[in-house]
Amino acid sequence: MPKNVAVLVGSLRSGSINRKLAHALEGLGGDKLTFENVEIGDLPLYNEDLWAEVPAPVTRMKRQIEAADGVLIVSPEYNRGYPGILANTFDWGSRPSGQSSFTRKPVGIIGATGGATGTAAGQQHLRLAAVNLGMIVMHAPEMYITWNSERFGPDGEIKSDDTRKLLQGFVDAFAAFVDKHG
């Protein structure tokens, strides 16, 4: 039976290459993984006062994370770090104290950018945040994707056999990781 993976995309832009990458990875999951995109763009900015009447998007997000066997974070890199939308998601998902939705969840991290170094620096910050959230982090293979027209089509379809092989290796490793730790 395939493992259920909650997908957090660290970009809200409709044409986001990381959203396209997440979709491409979903196509490689085969019979090992099913992917559920978790909407995080509708989460209010974290405010502890809101716990008095928990916003519906927060409840929905927490339930999706809790129901998943693993979490996949697909994120751009902003200013050598990760986007604030993910920090906000981590704040909501890790609270109230003692009720974190992220604890003991296996997590894989991947990201794409048009730049040569991919999302290497941002992913290091994400790995640290994930450890602090009590998640079980897949440290290898690390995957920093340089997005270009030789590798991907305009809608995110994988054009290069080498890229497909590389991404399939990541998905297969993540599936094994979730199977072991989920």
Side-chain angles (χ1 to χ4, degrees):
M1 182 156 83
K3 299 292 184 178
N4 180 37
V5 175
V7 180
L8 300 174
V9 177
S11 176
L12 300 179
R13 189 169 58 89
S14 62
S16 162
I17 60 175
N18 282 281
R19 190 165 305 285
K20 291 175 183 180
L21 176 59
H23 185 68
L25 294 171
E26 182 177 346
L28 300 174
D31 61 352
K32 298 176 186 173
L33 299 173
T34 60
F35 294 81
E36 181 178 2
N37 290 302
V38 179
E39 175 60 47
I40 59 176
D42 60 352
L43 296 173
L45 290 176
Y46 185 79
N47 178 344
E48 196 157 336
D49 292 342
L50 296 179
W51 285 112
E53 191 171 324
V54 183
V58 172
T59 302
R60 184 205 65 239
M61 178 272 298
K62 287 181 69 68
R63 285 186 183 148
Q64 286 178 284
I65 298 294
E66 291 163 6
D69 297 304
V71 176
L72 178 64
I73 300 173
V74 186
S75 181
E77 178 178 296
Y78 293 167
N79 301 314
R80 311 292 281 169
Y82 59 88
I85 190 70
L86 287 174
N88 191 54
T89 303
F90 296 158
D91 289 345
W92 279 114
S94 63
R95 291 174 174 82
S97 181
Q99 297 177 40
S100 176
S101 302
F102 295 111
T103 302
R104 306 283 314 147
K105 292 288 178 183
V107 62
I109 300 169
I110 188 170
T113 185
T117 61
T119 56
Q123 285 190 38
Q124 294 308 312
H125 292 277
L126 276 169
R127 282 183 177 76
L128 179 58
V131 167
N132 289 334
L133 290 167
M135 300 178 88
I136 305 166
V137 179
M138 182 175 86
H139 291 286
E142 292 184 353
M143 196 66 49
Y144 319 114
I145 302 299
T146 300
W147 191 275
N148 60 44
S149 61
E150 289 82 40
R151 292 178 150 187
F152 299 94
D155 293 327
E157 66 276 7
I158 303 168
K159 291 172 50 177
S160 158
D161 288 338
D162 289 341
T163 300
R164 180 178 307 284
K165 183 178 177 182
L166 186 71
L167 293 176
Q168 187 67 63
F170 177 84
V171 169
D172 291 347
F174 184 58
F177 188 77
V178 171
D179 196 45
K180 180 177 180 179
H181 298 288

